[in-house]
Amino acid sequence: MPKKTFTEKVYDVVKKIPVGKVLTYSDVARLAGNPGAARAVGTAMKNNPDMSIIPCHRVVGSDGKMHGYAFGGESVKVSLLKKEDVAMNGTTVDLKKSRWKKK
DNA sequence: CATTTGACAGGAA
DNA sequence: CTTCCTGCCAAAT
């Protein structure tokens, strides 16, 4: 079987994030098979082939905030996530409750 | 093939 | 809470 590149796996994982949940770059890296490659996840994201199918706003930093990209601003991201039933804590995502984890 | 860059994380001050 | 430094990995040049 064709071995997917790390980037491909990242897209696959991100696209599978359910509504109301978020993942940190570290988590995406881990699910993609490369724990610790959080930075590489960001690299892949900015290289993303289809931003429309990749809910980048559901991928946040370890602090539950956007580090670089957002749909125009943190406020927009917060509003959007709130709309998606994501547990928020002010301007930050409540990873304690909204972190997507497989059970 | 080597160097630089970047949408990161975690710890220290 | 903010700022700086180090470690990590992949893609781009």
Side-chain angles (χ1 to χ4, degrees):
Chain A
M1 45 197 321
K3 72 182 185 163
K4 282 168 139 173
T5 60
F6 174 72
T7 307
E8 292 288 321
K9 293 182 195 170
V10 170
Y11 301 148
D12 195 46
V13 172
V14 175
K15 286 187 304 191
K16 281 172 177 154
I17 300 177
V19 177
K21 295 282 173 183
V22 296
L23 278 181
T24 66
Y25 287 96
S26 305
D27 285 349
V28 174
R30 187 183 343 245
L31 294 173
N34 289 62
R39 246 174 149 166
V41 174
T43 302
M45 282 300 203
K46 79 175 165 96
N47 202 23
N48 84 66
D50 257 299
M51 167 183 183
S52 305
I53 63 176
I54 301 176
C56 342
H57 56 275
R58 285 187 199 144
V59 184
V60 298
S62 59
D63 46 7
K65 291 188 79 162
M66 296 306 240
H67 279 258
Y69 173 78
F71 294 93
E74 184 180 86
S75 316
V76 179
K77 179 200 66 169
V78 175
S79 302
L80 186 54
L81 291 175
K82 279 186 169 181
K83 220 169 141 108
E84 304 262 334
D85 293 299
V86 175
M88 299 292 300
N89 190 1
T91 61
T92 58
V93 177
D94 193 342
L95 296 172
K96 219 180 169 78
K97 298 175 182 174
S98 295
R99 182 132 99 137
W100 184 47
K101 53 189 174 177
K102 264 186 148 180
K103 294 192 323 190

